[in-house]
Amino acid sequence: MNEEQIIKSLAALAHPVRLRVFRALVVVGAEGLTPSALAEQLGVAATALSFHLKELMHAGMVTQERISRHLIYRAAFEQMNGVLVYLTDNCCAGADCGQTSLTCNSTAGQACCQP
């Protein structure tokens, strides 16, 4: 990942509503959520949510899939992990700082990060 992509990703998450949306999508994993489910769960107006989802998609932090008449949004785990790797690359200048690296596993169709 290059610096420009990282800046876009972090900027997209630097808004309270977008951060809440992204975290909700991370929690549900590969199943994803429809905009109406997200709006109801987060108590956000549909028009505002649409704007925030567009910003997250532009930054590559969420994906969108059309299934019949429904849109399903999912967290882009590869992008999220790329941001985490970028931020922790060369942690403590290579010295052991007691942190374990993050590894992401996909089990039963659900992606998650765990230390």
Side-chain angles (χ1 to χ4, degrees):
M1 268 192 153
N2 65 42
E3 194 172 87
E4 185 176 324
Q5 292 170 313
I6 298 298
I7 291 168
K8 278 185 182 180
S9 297
L10 293 174
L13 295 173
H15 186 280
V17 172
R18 289 194 290 269
L19 183 59
R20 288 175 50 218
V21 167
F22 184 74
R23 291 188 70 195
L25 293 173
V26 167
V27 169
V28 298
E31 181 181 327
L33 290 170
T34 63
S36 60
L38 271 168
E40 184 178 325
Q41 180 179 335
L42 300 175
V44 176
T47 54
L49 181 62
S50 176
F51 169 78
H52 292 301
L53 285 168
K54 178 187 68 76
E55 291 297 311
L56 287 166
M57 282 184 52
H58 179 69
M61 295 302 292
V62 300
T63 63
Q64 177 192 76
E65 179 183 7
R66 180 174 292 281
I67 299 177
S68 184
R69 298 182 325 174
H70 302 282
L71 293 175
I72 305 295
Y73 288 88
R74 294 181 182 90
F77 290 100
E78 187 174 319
Q79 180 81 1
M80 177 188 76
N81 292 329
V83 171
L84 292 173
V85 166
Y86 182 88
L87 292 173
T88 59
D89 194 31
N90 300 317
C91 177
C92 302
D96 182 12
C97 57
Q99 299 296 316
T100 59
S101 64
L102 292 176
T103 58
C104 292
N105 302 326
S106 179
T107 56
Q110 295 209 326
C112 64
C113 277
Q114 52 194 7

